Amino acid sequence: MAEILFPALFILLALGLPVAFAMAISVFAALSLASSYPNIVVVKEMFSGLDSFPLLAVPFFILAAEIMTAGAVTLAVLRLAQALVGHHKGGLGHANVVSSAMFAGISGSALADAAGPGSMMIRMMERGGYDRAYAGALTIASSVVGPIIPPSITMIIYAMQDQQVSVGSLFMAGVLPGVLITVLVLVANARVSRIRGYASGAPMPPLAEIGRIAVHALPALLLIVLIVGGIRFGIFTPTEASVIAVFYALFVGMFVYRSIKLRDLPETILRAALIAGAVLLILGAARAFAWILIIEGIPQFLAETIIAWDLSPVVFLLAVNVLLLAFGLFMDPLPGVMILVPILAPISLALGIDPDHFAIIVIVNLTIGLTTPPVGSLIFVVSSAVKLRPSTLIGEMPPFFIALATALLLITFVPVLSTWLPAVSGF
């Protein structure tokens, strides 16, 4: 069946079909043309992939993010980012990067970062004299931290595929790598800003003003503390944390920022349902796709082959980086996690690689895939926002590809970046 499954998938992706439909149709084609299994098996496997209590966290975190991204909350985060770094050379670009890092602690999604505060920052940067294509490329790069700084939908899915890690430990493991990526993208923006003369005309605000803006933004930023702290101290499970996040978001939006009215909730819930439906459809199709691979014995064959090569951990991690970066050219992170983690995680464990460390390597790799053609979702989201061709945005990406590649190498070969916080926090 594999001889039909993979060609069908690549052809459908090349034709521009959404990933979920491409995977589901390729599975149907493989079953129909090369097996005696009935097609109803695909539906069964898709349902089995979604019949999970921990997976309930995904739609609830999406709903919490939709509630928290109401205008007043987003503006509070943007104003704080601009107050902290907006006065430096390339200040509006720095504010774009810092706001993405802050917003990552609210949304857990790279696409939400780009579509929410990212699109607002692009308009601000263009009015401030930045080239529109550069502002879009910077937004693409800065949004990478969305699934890495907790809470993260991708980490929830990863923990379901690898029993050696927990959602809480992955949340803690992602903090320092997320900060590292943010710093390196800031460095890249500073260098480009010096070359192109992107100066900030805004003076540094008085400390009292920065403090006032920080206090105003604090309720939004406390969401990450509530989620991670509650999980760490055993107050609630990750799934329960997602529900609590919804109620906290409602409280903040309705009573603190007063940006949400009861009449707005049906539309907000509908948007969250559409996003969650798309995500869950991808996960269900990925489960059916992975089932074909398992019954064909492909994961076992690959695992035995790699183990027979007797690779050192360093060479194995280099090979994994190349594989995942190539895989990310054609596949989004969520199906990538569901297909590849059951194959690669046991091998990394056998080689003595820390499970949290390996998980962050996988997640960062696949998230970087969102910035690379031909299927990079961030490119198309931002392209739509700035009304530019994807190729124009890609032309501005090389400085940020260098920053992201540097971050990936440091995360890969400096394990303490991923393992220190889970260890000191007791995970």
Side-chain angles (χ1 to χ4, degrees), residues 119-276:
S119 61
M120 297 176 68
M121 281 304 309
I122 289 171
R123 293 193 293 270
M124 293 172 62
M125 289 177 68
E126 189 176 9
R127 289 196 297 267
Y130 290 74
D131 183 79
R132 190 195 312 176
Y134 175 76
L138 178 61
T139 298
I140 291 171
S142 65
S143 299
V144 166
V145 298
I148 298 166
I149 294 177
S152 166
I153 294 170
T154 308
M155 290 179 180
I156 295 170
I157 303 305
Y158 190 104
M160 293 174 60
Q161 307 305 311
D162 183 2
Q163 300 303 313
Q164 300 299 320
V165 299
S166 67
V167 173
S169 69
L170 290 184
F171 280 4
M172 296 306 298
V175 173
L176 292 182
V179 171
L180 173 66
I181 292 171
T182 300
V183 170
L184 290 175
V185 175
L186 284 171
V187 171
N189 175 65
R191 184 175 182 277
V192 174
S193 296
R194 282 196 302 271
I195 295 172
R196 300 189 182 183
Y198 292 145
S200 172
M204 180 178 177
L207 290 179
E209 176 69 7
I210 294 176
R212 188 184 66 79
I213 294 172
V215 169
H216 184 64
L218 189 61
L221 299 177
L222 279 177
L223 179 63
I224 184 175
V225 178
L226 174 68
I227 292 171
V228 176
I231 295 173
R232 163 62 186 86
F233 294 107
I235 300 172
F236 37 71
T237 67
T239 305
E240 292 164 347
S242 66
V243 179
I244 291 170
V246 170
F247 284 100
Y248 178 81
L250 281 172
F251 174 80
V252 169
M254 296 179 72
F255 301 108
V256 178
Y257 294 110
R258 301 179 184 276
S259 61
I260 298 175
K261 308 297 181 186
L262 283 176
R263 64 176 178 270
D264 300 327
L265 289 182
E267 183 181 353
T268 301
I269 294 171
L270 177 60
R271 286 199 309 270
L274 291 173
I275 297 170

Side-chain angles (χ1 to χ4, degrees), residues 282-411:
I282 291 173
L283 296 178
R287 169 60 181 259
F289 193 93
W291 175 77
I292 293 279
L293 298 182
I294 291 170
I295 64 173
E296 286 284 275
I298 294 174
Q300 299 90 323
F301 171 76
L302 290 176
E304 291 169 1
T305 301
I306 294 173
I307 290 173
W309 289 344
D310 196 24
L311 301 176
S312 69
V314 171
V315 175
F316 172 74
L317 289 178
L318 283 173
V320 164
N321 279 323
V322 173
L323 170 66
L324 292 176
L325 288 173
F327 193 87
L329 294 174
F330 304 99
M331 192 71 70
D332 286 343
L334 294 181
V337 165
M338 293 192 70
I339 293 170
L340 294 176
V341 170
I343 301 172
L344 299 175
I347 302 173
S348 72
L349 185 65
L351 291 173
I353 299 169
D354 183 89
D356 287 324
H357 177 214
F358 185 74
I360 297 302
I361 292 172
V362 172
I363 292 168
V364 171
N365 263 292
L366 293 175
T367 305
I368 289 175
L370 293 173
T371 71
T372 55
V375 188
S377 301
L378 281 173
I379 296 173
F380 295 104
V381 168
V382 174
S383 172
S384 175
V386 299
K387 304 296 189 292
L388 289 174
R389 293 173 62 86
S391 58
T392 305
L393 293 174
I394 294 168
E396 295 279 1
M397 286 297 295
F400 305 118
F401 284 143
I402 293 172
L404 294 173
T406 303
L408 179 59
L409 287 174
L410 289 172
I411 291 166

